Amino acid sequence: MSVILKLTRAGPLTSIQDLGRFGMLRHGISASGPMDRTAYLSAGQLAGGGQGGIEFTMAGLEITVASGRCRVGFCGGNFVVRVNDQALAWPGAAELGAGDRLAITPGAWGNYGHLRFDGDILAQPMMGSIATSSRAGLGGLDGRSLHVGDVIELIGSGAEPVVPVVRERTDGPIRIIWGIHADLFSQELRQKFLDASFTISSRLDRMGVRLEDDDKVFTDATNLSLVSDAIVPGDIQILGDGTPIVLMRDHQPTGGYPRIGTVITVDLDRFAQLRPGSAVAFRPVTVEHAHALLRGSKT
Amino acid sequence: MPVPETFPTPTLLPLGDSAFLVRFGTTLTDAANRAAIALAAMLDNAPIPGVVEIMPNLVSVLLRYDPLLASPAAILGELRVRLFGLADAGREPRRWTVPVVFDGPDLAETAEALGMSTEAFIAAHNAPLRVLATGFAPGFVYCGLHDGLVLPRRTTVRPSVPAGSVLFAAGQTAITATDMPTGWHVIGRTAFSNFDAAGHPPTLLSAGDLIAFEVAS
């Protein structure tokens, strides 16, 4: 039985995402996928894991069930969630029926939240994925962000919900692996990079997060002309004017600016949730250490 | 069998915690580009277990893996073995003819900067080329390397050129398949479309394909 949802409030960067459109880099398309992958997976467990989800931002979200019944799971950042004006715990889940209204407003921290449902989001897969790419303009609903008035249909009934282990929010430096161009930066500059504090700027989206270089680490960096190479999410590029930018899920597939480091997988979700104005510092780890963290054998 | 002398010695680098980059040079040379294309073709034909994506770049190849499912040490070991036997695939490259209307806003200026008449520039430009790399944007291709036709990029960036624009800079010709900003010289346009989001695969041209531009009739 299908469920019809209607968006009654949405910020400009609300989008349909699934785990991502992998394998298309050579065709010029980066994978996209959830900005907070861990939260996306947890929301799916809470809902009983249908395909796809709705990613929303600090602007919040409101949906109304036009018809049918569904279970919704929500996770990512910290938000205030209400069903028909009754507050619920975040992260969490709820059963929704026709006429119910789910309203989400920003909480204490975080940029991104994820809504998952027991049913699958009905959307045309492009290259095997329904994830919206803001860069390539494909996936989701006609390759665009979701707007007020959009209708989303769910089909199928999903699986048994599971209560996920939601990790405590952690602080501390964002861990990186030295980048493919780290050797182009002097030892002294690399040390300055590690000692410095940067600020998350207000120029952030699904493609990248620009940092304010408060300690002027890269102000005098030479503008190097490099042959372009493949980009991966988390790459820290230093633009020609010295601005560091951390490339995110809708990253450009290739880039020609020097990359001093790459944020490790376990810290990329946490980085994505840092709000503008937050201070951020970086600490290098080895690839082996990053893998141990990913397997949960180190913290 | 040693690596053929024509292929530069590769550098193996971690790119984050889920990929390796095999780099055959830090500047764009014909030999480094051929090596990158040959390695990607070899890995496409005989994938290394655990590698989930291969992407040839201008002078490097990206290998993505899932660190929860694959051993990076095993991938590196296998990769070193493959690099030792790296040779041109010997596969006959695909050939494409791309008709171009040479009426771009920078055409006259480009020919003049190279000290040529527009007609002479077009004739020299249409010498056979190779697709050097793909992937910068959906369906975007770099073709080259032009022999002697080398001009830096423009000092200003055009905020948007349409899909099908034929661009020229740095000894290369590029074709756009989506609207995009560019600092390259716009020399013409083509009806050839290298991107169809619903296609399988979504692009037609691959790195290593031979390409001939011709004046559209």
Side-chain angles (χ1 to χ4, degrees), chain A residues 22-29 126-127 136 138 177-181 183 225-232 235 252-255 259 262-266 287 290-291 294-295, chain B residues 13-19 21 23 26-28 40 44 53-60 62 64-65 67-68 70 72 134-139 142 195 197-198 201-203:
Chain A
F22 292 97
M24 293 292 145
L25 286 174
R26 65 173 67 186
H27 302 292
I29 298 158
M126 300 301 288
M127 298 162 228
L138 53 82
I177 288 160
W178 285 115
I180 55 168
H181 304 117
D183 59 335
S225 173
L226 302 171
V227 185
S228 65
D229 277 315
I231 297 261
V232 296
D235 269 342
Q252 58 202 77
T254 66
R259 283 173 253 167
T262 304
V263 176
I264 66 173
T265 301
V266 292
V287 174
H291 291 166
L294 202 54
R295 292 196 188 94
Chain B
L13 299 162
L15 175 43
D17 58 20
S18 308
L21 193 72
R23 196 157 66 183
T26 51
T27 57
L28 175 56
D44 280 345
E53 183 166 15
I54 294 151
M55 182 200 193
N57 305 127
L58 284 166
V59 295
S60 66
L62 174 83
R64 275 201 318 108
Y65 63 93
L68 289 177
T134 63
F136 170 70
Y142 294 102
F195 182 65
T203 64

Side-chain angles (χ1 to χ4, degrees), chain B residues 30-57:
Chain B
D30 193 65
N33 177 252
R34 283 179 188 278
I37 290 169
L39 176 61
M42 177 194 260
L43 297 174
D44 280 345
N45 293 336
I48 294 179
V51 173
V52 295
E53 183 166 15
I54 294 151
M55 182 200 193
N57 305 127

Side-chain angles (χ1 to χ4, degrees), chain B residues 62-157:
Chain B
L62 174 83
L63 285 83
R64 275 201 318 108
Y65 63 93
D66 182 339
L68 289 177
L69 300 174
S71 151
I75 291 171
L76 270 186
E78 184 61 31
L79 184 58
R80 288 201 176 93
V81 172
R82 305 289 181 92
L83 284 166
F84 195 65
L86 182 62
D88 265 319
R91 180 172 53 95
E92 186 64 21
R94 294 185 300 170
R95 292 166 189 278
W96 303 86
T97 301
V98 175
V100 176
V101 179
F102 285 92
D103 64 352
D106 303 325
L107 178 67
E109 196 180 290
T110 299
E112 195 184 321
L114 292 165
M116 303 168 94
S117 70
T118 301
E119 292 71 25
F121 168 72
I122 291 170
H125 172 273
N126 290 358
L129 299 177
R130 244 162 3 101
V131 176
L132 301 176
T134 63
F136 170 70
F140 185 97
V141 288
Y142 294 102
C143 307
L145 282 164
H146 285 294
D147 191 13
L149 296 185
V150 180
L151 204 61
R153 278 183 261 183
R154 286 156 45 85
T155 48
T156 55
V157 170

